mmCIF file of all heavy atoms in Angstrom:
data_model
loop_
_atom_site.group_PDB
_atom_site.id
_atom_site.type_symbol
_atom_site.label_atom_id
_atom_site.label_comp_id
_atom_site.label_asym_id
_atom_site.label_seq_id
_atom_site.Cartn_x
_atom_site.Cartn_y
_atom_site.Cartn_z
ATOM 1 N N GLN A 8 102.848 40.685 30.972
ATOM 2 C CA GLN A 8 103.221 42.072 30.778
ATOM 3 C C GLN A 8 103.719 42.331 29.359
ATOM 4 O O GLN A 8 103.707 43.463 28.884
ATOM 5 C CB GLN A 8 104.314 42.465 31.783
ATOM 6 C CG GLN A 8 103.798 42.527 33.225
ATOM 7 C CD GLN A 8 104.919 42.765 34.226
ATOM 8 O OE1 GLN A 8 106.086 42.622 33.900
ATOM 9 N NE2 GLN A 8 104.553 43.136 35.440
ATOM 10 N N ASN A 9 104.141 41.266 28.666
ATOM 11 C CA ASN A 9 104.724 41.427 27.341
ATOM 12 C C ASN A 9 103.708 41.288 26.206
ATOM 13 O O ASN A 9 104.063 41.485 25.046
ATOM 14 C CB ASN A 9 105.846 40.405 27.125
ATOM 15 C CG ASN A 9 107.033 40.664 28.036
ATOM 16 O OD1 ASN A 9 107.262 41.799 28.452
ATOM 17 N ND2 ASN A 9 107.786 39.617 28.350
ATOM 18 N N ILE A 10 102.476 40.899 26.520
ATOM 19 C CA ILE A 10 101.474 40.724 25.470
ATOM 20 C C ILE A 10 100.292 41.659 25.734
ATOM 21 O O ILE A 10 100.080 42.135 26.848
ATOM 22 C CB ILE A 10 100.971 39.262 25.415
ATOM 23 C CG1 ILE A 10 100.299 38.877 26.722
ATOM 24 C CG2 ILE A 10 102.089 38.308 25.079
ATOM 25 C CD1 ILE A 10 99.671 37.511 26.698
ATOM 26 N N ARG A 11 99.524 41.899 24.676
ATOM 27 C CA ARG A 11 98.334 42.750 24.795
ATOM 28 C C ARG A 11 97.102 41.875 24.693
ATOM 29 O O ARG A 11 96.938 41.105 23.742
ATOM 30 C CB ARG A 11 98.336 43.799 23.685
ATOM 31 C CG ARG A 11 99.498 44.780 23.767
ATOM 32 C CD ARG A 11 99.413 45.786 22.642
ATOM 33 N NE ARG A 11 98.199 46.597 22.767
ATOM 34 C CZ ARG A 11 97.813 47.463 21.831
ATOM 35 N NH1 ARG A 11 98.511 47.614 20.725
ATOM 36 N NH2 ARG A 11 96.693 48.166 22.012
ATOM 37 N N PHE A 12 96.240 42.002 25.665
ATOM 38 C CA PHE A 12 94.987 41.262 25.649
ATOM 39 C C PHE A 12 93.912 42.125 26.300
ATOM 40 O O PHE A 12 94.203 43.141 26.945
ATOM 41 C CB PHE A 12 95.124 39.907 26.331
ATOM 42 C CG PHE A 12 95.610 39.969 27.761
ATOM 43 C CD1 PHE A 12 94.704 39.926 28.809
ATOM 44 C CD2 PHE A 12 96.962 40.058 28.054
ATOM 45 C CE1 PHE A 12 95.141 39.974 30.122
ATOM 46 C CE2 PHE A 12 97.399 40.110 29.362
ATOM 47 C CZ PHE A 12 96.491 40.070 30.394
ATOM 48 N N ASP A 13 92.670 41.704 26.128
ATOM 49 C CA ASP A 13 91.541 42.554 26.519
ATOM 50 C C ASP A 13 90.798 42.067 27.755
ATOM 51 O O ASP A 13 90.260 42.862 28.516
ATOM 52 C CB ASP A 13 90.562 42.660 25.346
ATOM 53 C CG ASP A 13 91.243 43.183 24.097
ATOM 54 O OD1 ASP A 13 91.537 44.382 24.044
ATOM 55 O OD2 ASP A 13 91.493 42.365 23.187
ATOM 56 N N TYR A 14 90.729 40.724 27.938
ATOM 57 C CA TYR A 14 89.930 40.178 29.041
ATOM 58 C C TYR A 14 90.679 39.017 29.701
ATOM 59 O O TYR A 14 91.378 38.240 29.035
ATOM 60 C CB TYR A 14 88.583 39.651 28.536
ATOM 61 C CG TYR A 14 87.700 40.693 27.896
ATOM 62 C CD1 TYR A 14 87.776 40.924 26.525
ATOM 63 C CD2 TYR A 14 86.786 41.415 28.653
ATOM 64 C CE1 TYR A 14 86.955 41.873 25.917
ATOM 65 C CE2 TYR A 14 85.961 42.357 28.056
ATOM 66 C CZ TYR A 14 86.060 42.592 26.691
ATOM 67 O OH TYR A 14 85.248 43.522 26.099
ATOM 68 N N LEU A 15 90.485 38.912 31.017
ATOM 69 C CA LEU A 15 90.889 37.720 31.769
ATOM 70 C C LEU A 15 89.623 37.001 32.221
ATOM 71 O O LEU A 15 88.773 37.617 32.883
ATOM 72 C CB LEU A 15 91.716 38.091 33.008
ATOM 73 C CG LEU A 15 93.203 38.410 32.835
ATOM 74 C CD1 LEU A 15 93.819 38.734 34.185
ATOM 75 C CD2 LEU A 15 93.946 37.265 32.177
ATOM 76 N N LYS A 16 89.484 35.752 31.844
ATOM 77 C CA LYS A 16 88.343 34.961 32.313
ATOM 78 C C LYS A 16 88.803 34.149 33.525
ATOM 79 O O LYS A 16 89.664 33.266 33.418
ATOM 80 C CB LYS A 16 87.836 34.049 31.202
ATOM 81 C CG LYS A 16 87.315 34.798 29.972
ATOM 82 C CD LYS A 16 86.571 33.880 29.023
ATOM 83 C CE LYS A 16 85.200 33.522 29.556
ATOM 84 N NZ LYS A 16 84.390 32.753 28.585
ATOM 85 N N ILE A 17 88.225 34.481 34.684
ATOM 86 C CA ILE A 17 88.634 33.832 35.933
ATOM 87 C C ILE A 17 87.984 32.453 36.004
ATOM 88 O O ILE A 17 86.762 32.311 35.891
ATOM 89 C CB ILE A 17 88.227 34.677 37.152
ATOM 90 C CG1 ILE A 17 88.787 36.104 37.014
ATOM 91 C CG2 ILE A 17 88.730 34.043 38.438
ATOM 92 C CD1 ILE A 17 88.290 37.059 38.078
ATOM 93 N N ASP A 18 88.794 31.423 36.207
ATOM 94 C CA ASP A 18 88.286 30.053 36.205
ATOM 95 C C ASP A 18 87.305 29.813 37.350
ATOM 96 O O ASP A 18 87.401 30.413 38.424
ATOM 97 C CB ASP A 18 89.456 29.063 36.309
ATOM 98 C CG ASP A 18 89.017 27.640 36.078
ATOM 99 O OD1 ASP A 18 88.825 27.260 34.911
ATOM 100 O OD2 ASP A 18 88.845 26.910 37.061
ATOM 101 N N LYS A 19 86.364 28.906 37.107
ATOM 102 C CA LYS A 19 85.302 28.587 38.068
ATOM 103 C C LYS A 19 85.850 28.109 39.414
ATOM 104 O O LYS A 19 85.236 28.335 40.460
ATOM 105 C CB LYS A 19 84.394 27.510 37.478
ATOM 106 C CG LYS A 19 83.221 27.102 38.367
ATOM 107 C CD LYS A 19 82.387 26.036 37.677
ATOM 108 C CE LYS A 19 81.164 25.671 38.508
ATOM 109 N NZ LYS A 19 81.510 25.103 39.817
ATOM 110 N N CYS A 20 87.019 27.441 39.408
ATOM 111 C CA CYS A 20 87.556 26.899 40.669
ATOM 112 C C CYS A 20 87.831 28.016 41.680
ATOM 113 O O CYS A 20 87.781 27.781 42.895
ATOM 114 C CB CYS A 20 88.804 26.075 40.407
ATOM 115 S SG CYS A 20 90.230 27.018 39.829
ATOM 116 N N PHE A 21 88.122 29.227 41.212
ATOM 117 C CA PHE A 21 88.353 30.357 42.114
ATOM 118 C C PHE A 21 87.033 31.016 42.516
ATOM 119 O O PHE A 21 86.911 31.504 43.643
ATOM 120 C CB PHE A 21 89.287 31.374 41.458
ATOM 121 C CG PHE A 21 90.628 30.795 41.099
ATOM 122 C CD1 PHE A 21 90.962 30.551 39.779
ATOM 123 C CD2 PHE A 21 91.545 30.474 42.085
ATOM 124 C CE1 PHE A 21 92.184 30.012 39.434
ATOM 125 C CE2 PHE A 21 92.777 29.926 41.759
ATOM 126 C CZ PHE A 21 93.091 29.687 40.427
ATOM 127 N N ILE A 22 86.077 31.002 41.616
ATOM 128 C CA ILE A 22 84.761 31.560 41.952
ATOM 129 C C ILE A 22 84.106 30.715 43.044
ATOM 130 O O ILE A 22 83.410 31.241 43.925
ATOM 131 C CB ILE A 22 83.866 31.615 40.697
ATOM 132 C CG1 ILE A 22 84.551 32.403 39.581
ATOM 133 C CG2 ILE A 22 82.510 32.217 41.033
ATOM 134 C CD1 ILE A 22 84.930 33.819 39.942
ATOM 135 N N ASP A 23 84.338 29.414 43.007
ATOM 136 C CA ASP A 23 83.740 28.506 44.000
ATOM 137 C C ASP A 23 84.253 28.767 45.408
ATOM 138 O O ASP A 23 83.677 28.281 46.387
ATOM 139 C CB ASP A 23 84.020 27.051 43.618
ATOM 140 C CG ASP A 23 83.224 26.613 42.400
ATOM 141 O OD1 ASP A 23 82.209 27.265 42.103
ATOM 142 O OD2 ASP A 23 83.616 25.633 41.747
ATOM 143 N N THR A 24 85.376 29.499 45.560
ATOM 144 C CA THR A 24 85.921 29.752 46.899
ATOM 145 C C THR A 24 85.208 30.887 47.620
ATOM 146 O O THR A 24 85.454 31.111 48.810
ATOM 147 C CB THR A 24 87.423 30.092 46.798
ATOM 148 O OG1 THR A 24 87.578 31.312 46.049
ATOM 149 C CG2 THR A 24 88.193 28.976 46.101
ATOM 150 N N ILE A 25 84.326 31.579 46.921
ATOM 151 C CA ILE A 25 83.607 32.697 47.558
ATOM 152 C C ILE A 25 82.703 32.151 48.669
ATOM 153 O O ILE A 25 81.856 31.291 48.435
ATOM 154 C CB ILE A 25 82.776 33.476 46.519
ATOM 155 C CG1 ILE A 25 83.694 34.127 45.498
ATOM 156 C CG2 ILE A 25 81.896 34.521 47.206
ATOM 157 C CD1 ILE A 25 82.966 34.806 44.347
ATOM 158 N N GLY A 26 82.906 32.651 49.884
ATOM 159 C CA GLY A 26 82.113 32.211 51.032
ATOM 160 C C GLY A 26 82.562 30.885 51.606
ATOM 161 O O GLY A 26 81.916 30.347 52.503
ATOM 162 N N VAL A 27 83.675 30.351 51.108
ATOM 163 C CA VAL A 27 84.170 29.052 51.571
ATOM 164 C C VAL A 27 85.622 29.213 51.996
ATOM 165 O O VAL A 27 86.413 29.887 51.319
ATOM 166 C CB VAL A 27 84.074 27.983 50.461
ATOM 167 C CG1 VAL A 27 84.634 26.646 50.944
ATOM 168 C CG2 VAL A 27 82.639 27.824 49.990
ATOM 169 N N THR A 28 85.991 28.582 53.103
ATOM 170 C CA THR A 28 87.379 28.608 53.546
ATOM 171 C C THR A 28 88.186 27.683 52.662
ATOM 172 O O THR A 28 87.947 26.473 52.613
ATOM 173 C CB THR A 28 87.497 28.167 55.014
ATOM 174 O OG1 THR A 28 86.685 29.026 55.820
ATOM 175 C CG2 THR A 28 88.938 28.221 55.480
ATOM 176 N N SER A 29 89.139 28.229 51.934
ATOM 177 C CA SER A 29 89.922 27.434 50.988
ATOM 178 C C SER A 29 91.275 28.089 50.794
ATOM 179 O O SER A 29 91.423 29.308 50.943
ATOM 180 C CB SER A 29 89.188 27.309 49.641
ATOM 181 O OG SER A 29 90.021 26.760 48.654
ATOM 182 N N VAL A 30 92.270 27.261 50.447
ATOM 183 C CA VAL A 30 93.606 27.803 50.179
ATOM 184 C C VAL A 30 93.592 28.658 48.914
ATOM 185 O O VAL A 30 94.473 29.499 48.708
ATOM 186 C CB VAL A 30 94.639 26.668 50.029
ATOM 187 C CG1 VAL A 30 94.830 25.938 51.341
ATOM 188 C CG2 VAL A 30 94.214 25.680 48.942
ATOM 189 N N ASN A 31 92.605 28.451 48.034
ATOM 190 C CA ASN A 31 92.512 29.230 46.799
ATOM 191 C C ASN A 31 91.750 30.547 46.980
ATOM 192 O O ASN A 31 91.693 31.355 46.052
ATOM 193 C CB ASN A 31 91.828 28.417 45.700
ATOM 194 C CG ASN A 31 92.726 27.326 45.155
ATOM 195 O OD1 ASN A 31 93.939 27.444 45.191
ATOM 196 N ND2 ASN A 31 92.124 26.258 44.662
ATOM 197 N N ALA A 32 91.129 30.734 48.164
ATOM 198 C CA ALA A 32 90.301 31.921 48.374
ATOM 199 C C ALA A 32 91.063 33.226 48.151
ATOM 200 O O ALA A 32 90.561 34.131 47.471
ATOM 201 C CB ALA A 32 89.690 31.875 49.775
ATOM 202 N N PRO A 33 92.294 33.416 48.680
ATOM 203 C CA PRO A 33 93.002 34.690 48.462
ATOM 204 C C PRO A 33 93.417 34.878 47.006
ATOM 205 O O PRO A 33 93.671 36.009 46.585
ATOM 206 C CB PRO A 33 94.238 34.570 49.363
ATOM 207 C CG PRO A 33 93.917 33.469 50.335
ATOM 208 C CD PRO A 33 93.027 32.532 49.587
ATOM 209 N N VAL A 34 93.488 33.791 46.225
ATOM 210 C CA VAL A 34 93.946 33.895 44.838
ATOM 211 C C VAL A 34 92.965 34.697 44.008
ATOM 212 O O VAL A 34 93.359 35.464 43.118
ATOM 213 C CB VAL A 34 94.160 32.486 44.231
ATOM 214 C CG1 VAL A 34 94.615 32.587 42.775
ATOM 215 C CG2 VAL A 34 95.162 31.700 45.060
ATOM 216 N N LEU A 35 91.670 34.545 44.266
ATOM 217 C CA LEU A 35 90.646 35.260 43.499
ATOM 218 C C LEU A 35 90.869 36.763 43.581
ATOM 219 O O LEU A 35 90.877 37.463 42.555
ATOM 220 C CB LEU A 35 89.254 34.893 44.019
ATOM 221 C CG LEU A 35 88.084 35.683 43.430
ATOM 222 C CD1 LEU A 35 88.014 35.497 41.919
ATOM 223 C CD2 LEU A 35 86.771 35.276 44.091
ATOM 224 N N ASN A 36 91.053 37.262 44.799
ATOM 225 C CA ASN A 36 91.276 38.699 44.965
ATOM 226 C C ASN A 36 92.572 39.146 44.289
ATOM 227 O O ASN A 36 92.651 40.250 43.736
ATOM 228 C CB ASN A 36 91.304 39.065 46.445
ATOM 229 C CG ASN A 36 89.951 38.822 47.111
ATOM 230 O OD1 ASN A 36 88.915 38.827 46.443
ATOM 231 N ND2 ASN A 36 89.955 38.619 48.418
ATOM 232 N N SER A 37 93.577 38.263 44.312
ATOM 233 C CA SER A 37 94.853 38.598 43.668
ATOM 234 C C SER A 37 94.696 38.693 42.154
ATOM 235 O O SER A 37 95.290 39.576 41.513
ATOM 236 C CB SER A 37 95.911 37.544 44.017
ATOM 237 O OG SER A 37 96.123 37.488 45.407
ATOM 238 N N ILE A 38 93.882 37.812 41.571
ATOM 239 C CA ILE A 38 93.650 37.858 40.121
ATOM 240 C C ILE A 38 92.916 39.133 39.741
ATOM 241 O O ILE A 38 93.252 39.794 38.745
ATOM 242 C CB ILE A 38 92.873 36.613 39.667
ATOM 243 C CG1 ILE A 38 93.731 35.342 39.850
ATOM 244 C CG2 ILE A 38 92.447 36.738 38.211
ATOM 245 C CD1 ILE A 38 92.991 34.050 39.551
ATOM 246 N N ILE A 39 91.912 39.476 40.537
ATOM 247 C CA ILE A 39 91.152 40.707 40.267
ATOM 248 C C ILE A 39 92.073 41.922 40.349
ATOM 249 O O ILE A 39 92.039 42.810 39.487
ATOM 250 C CB ILE A 39 89.975 40.843 41.255
ATOM 251 C CG1 ILE A 39 88.982 39.698 41.058
ATOM 252 C CG2 ILE A 39 89.289 42.193 41.093
ATOM 253 C CD1 ILE A 39 87.895 39.632 42.108
ATOM 254 N N GLU A 40 92.922 41.950 41.369
ATOM 255 C CA GLU A 40 93.856 43.070 41.535
ATOM 256 C C GLU A 40 94.863 43.103 40.390
ATOM 257 O O GLU A 40 95.219 44.169 39.879
ATOM 258 C CB GLU A 40 94.573 42.945 42.880
ATOM 259 C CG GLU A 40 95.496 44.109 43.178
ATOM 260 C CD GLU A 40 96.155 43.981 44.540
ATOM 261 O OE1 GLU A 40 95.802 43.028 45.276
ATOM 262 O OE2 GLU A 40 97.015 44.819 44.854
ATOM 263 N N LEU A 41 95.331 41.913 39.967
ATOM 264 C CA LEU A 41 96.277 41.846 38.851
ATOM 265 C C LEU A 41 95.658 42.409 37.575
ATOM 266 O O LEU A 41 96.304 43.184 36.844
ATOM 267 C CB LEU A 41 96.710 40.390 38.628
ATOM 268 C CG LEU A 41 97.548 40.108 37.384
ATOM 269 C CD1 LEU A 41 98.891 40.817 37.472
ATOM 270 C CD2 LEU A 41 97.742 38.602 37.200
ATOM 271 N N ALA A 42 94.414 42.018 37.314
ATOM 272 C CA ALA A 42 93.737 42.515 36.112
ATOM 273 C C ALA A 42 93.587 44.039 36.155
ATOM 274 O O ALA A 42 93.773 44.720 35.135
ATOM 275 C CB ALA A 42 92.376 41.847 35.979
ATOM 276 N N ASN A 43 93.267 44.584 37.316
ATOM 277 C CA ASN A 43 93.137 46.040 37.450
ATOM 278 C C ASN A 43 94.470 46.730 37.177
ATOM 279 O O ASN A 43 94.527 47.767 36.506
ATOM 280 C CB ASN A 43 92.622 46.403 38.836
ATOM 281 C CG ASN A 43 91.186 45.950 39.049
ATOM 282 O OD1 ASN A 43 90.413 45.825 38.087
ATOM 283 N ND2 ASN A 43 90.809 45.690 40.291
ATOM 284 N N ASN A 44 95.562 46.127 37.694
ATOM 285 C CA ASN A 44 96.894 46.709 37.484
ATOM 286 C C ASN A 44 97.306 46.652 36.021
ATOM 287 O O ASN A 44 98.027 47.530 35.525
ATOM 288 C CB ASN A 44 97.922 45.992 38.351
ATOM 289 C CG ASN A 44 97.705 46.242 39.831
ATOM 290 O OD1 ASN A 44 97.116 47.259 40.215
ATOM 291 N ND2 ASN A 44 98.165 45.331 40.667
ATOM 292 N N LEU A 45 96.875 45.579 35.323
ATOM 293 C CA LEU A 45 97.204 45.446 33.900
ATOM 294 C C LEU A 45 96.226 46.195 33.005
ATOM 295 O O LEU A 45 96.389 46.206 31.780
ATOM 296 C CB LEU A 45 97.215 43.963 33.506
ATOM 297 C CG LEU A 45 98.299 43.088 34.156
ATOM 298 C CD1 LEU A 45 98.110 41.623 33.763
ATOM 299 C CD2 LEU A 45 99.692 43.564 33.744
ATOM 300 N N ASP A 46 95.203 46.794 33.617
ATOM 301 C CA ASP A 46 94.184 47.567 32.886
ATOM 302 C C ASP A 46 93.448 46.696 31.872
ATOM 303 O O ASP A 46 93.248 47.088 30.714
ATOM 304 C CB ASP A 46 94.831 48.773 32.192
ATOM 305 C CG ASP A 46 93.778 49.798 31.757
ATOM 306 O OD1 ASP A 46 92.695 49.829 32.375
ATOM 307 O OD2 ASP A 46 94.030 50.541 30.789
ATOM 308 N N VAL A 47 93.059 45.490 32.305
ATOM 309 C CA VAL A 47 92.236 44.622 31.462
ATOM 310 C C VAL A 47 90.968 44.265 32.234
ATOM 311 O O VAL A 47 90.944 44.287 33.469
ATOM 312 C CB VAL A 47 92.985 43.325 31.058
ATOM 313 C CG1 VAL A 47 94.185 43.640 30.193
ATOM 314 C CG2 VAL A 47 93.392 42.516 32.282
ATOM 315 N N LYS A 48 89.922 43.938 31.501
ATOM 316 C CA LYS A 48 88.637 43.613 32.125
ATOM 317 C C LYS A 48 88.616 42.138 32.512
ATOM 318 O O LYS A 48 89.289 41.301 31.909
ATOM 319 C CB LYS A 48 87.486 43.936 31.175
ATOM 320 C CG LYS A 48 87.419 45.400 30.759
ATOM 321 C CD LYS A 48 86.274 45.633 29.815
ATOM 322 C CE LYS A 48 86.183 47.089 29.385
ATOM 323 N NZ LYS A 48 87.369 47.527 28.621
ATOM 324 N N THR A 49 87.797 41.816 33.505
ATOM 325 C CA THR A 49 87.683 40.431 33.970
ATOM 326 C C THR A 49 86.268 39.910 33.730
ATOM 327 O O THR A 49 85.285 40.652 33.830
ATOM 328 C CB THR A 49 88.012 40.316 35.474
ATOM 329 O OG1 THR A 49 87.237 41.283 36.193
ATOM 330 C CG2 THR A 49 89.485 40.541 35.723
ATOM 331 N N ILE A 50 86.202 38.607 33.418
ATOM 332 C CA ILE A 50 84.928 37.891 33.278
ATOM 333 C C ILE A 50 84.975 36.713 34.235
ATOM 334 O O ILE A 50 85.860 35.859 34.137
ATOM 335 C CB ILE A 50 84.711 37.391 31.839
ATOM 336 C CG1 ILE A 50 84.754 38.558 30.845
ATOM 337 C CG2 ILE A 50 83.396 36.637 31.727
ATOM 338 C CD1 ILE A 50 84.684 38.124 29.388
ATOM 339 N N ALA A 51 84.054 36.670 35.164
ATOM 340 C CA ALA A 51 84.003 35.571 36.127
ATOM 341 C C ALA A 51 83.200 34.416 35.530
ATOM 342 O O ALA A 51 82.028 34.583 35.181
ATOM 343 C CB ALA A 51 83.388 36.033 37.434
ATOM 344 N N GLU A 52 83.831 33.244 35.428
ATOM 345 C CA GLU A 52 83.164 32.065 34.874
ATOM 346 C C GLU A 52 82.557 31.226 35.997
ATOM 347 O O GLU A 52 83.049 31.218 37.128
ATOM 348 C CB GLU A 52 84.159 31.202 34.095
ATOM 349 C CG GLU A 52 84.728 31.846 32.853
ATOM 350 C CD GLU A 52 85.618 30.894 32.087
ATOM 351 O OE1 GLU A 52 86.734 30.609 32.567
ATOM 352 O OE2 GLU A 52 85.205 30.420 31.016
ATOM 353 N N GLY A 53 81.505 30.502 35.681
ATOM 354 C CA GLY A 53 80.940 29.537 36.614
ATOM 355 C C GLY A 53 80.225 30.146 37.801
ATOM 356 O O GLY A 53 80.200 29.553 38.887
ATOM 357 N N VAL A 54 79.629 31.308 37.644
ATOM 358 C CA VAL A 54 78.870 31.931 38.744
ATOM 359 C C VAL A 54 77.560 31.164 38.909
ATOM 360 O O VAL A 54 76.774 31.049 37.964
ATOM 361 C CB VAL A 54 78.596 33.415 38.446
ATOM 362 C CG1 VAL A 54 77.793 34.040 39.586
ATOM 363 C CG2 VAL A 54 79.898 34.163 38.220
ATOM 364 N N GLU A 55 77.324 30.652 40.132
ATOM 365 C CA GLU A 55 76.162 29.787 40.344
ATOM 366 C C GLU A 55 75.269 30.223 41.491
ATOM 367 O O GLU A 55 74.182 29.667 41.672
ATOM 368 C CB GLU A 55 76.637 28.344 40.588
ATOM 369 C CG GLU A 55 77.340 27.721 39.388
ATOM 370 C CD GLU A 55 77.753 26.293 39.649
ATOM 371 O OE1 GLU A 55 77.745 25.888 40.830
ATOM 372 O OE2 GLU A 55 78.071 25.578 38.682
#
């Protein structure tokens, strides 16, 4: 909240939880929501 930045690059380990039951699965949605609240754009890494 104290710094200005333009993009959040979401790490591949969270992208890998899509469609898979994992303890990290809810984190992905939380990161996306956080980025929206901070008004910054997101880049998803490791999309396969």
Side-chain angles (χ1 to χ4, degrees):
Q8 291 174 345
N9 293 333
I10 62 175
R11 296 181 63 187
F12 57 97
D13 304 286
Y14 299 91
L15 280 181
K16 298 192 75 174
I17 305 173
D18 190 78
K19 181 180 183 298
C20 67
F21 300 108
I22 304 303
D23 289 339
T24 63
I25 296 174
V27 178
T28 302
S29 169
V30 294
N31 287 333
V34 179
L35 173 60
N36 295 335
S37 300
I38 294 174
I39 296 172
E40 184 178 355
L41 172 65
N43 292 333
N44 293 335
L45 295 175
D46 196 25
V47 296
K48 300 179 180 64
T49 51
I50 302 174
E52 295 184 288
V54 179
E55 295 182 345

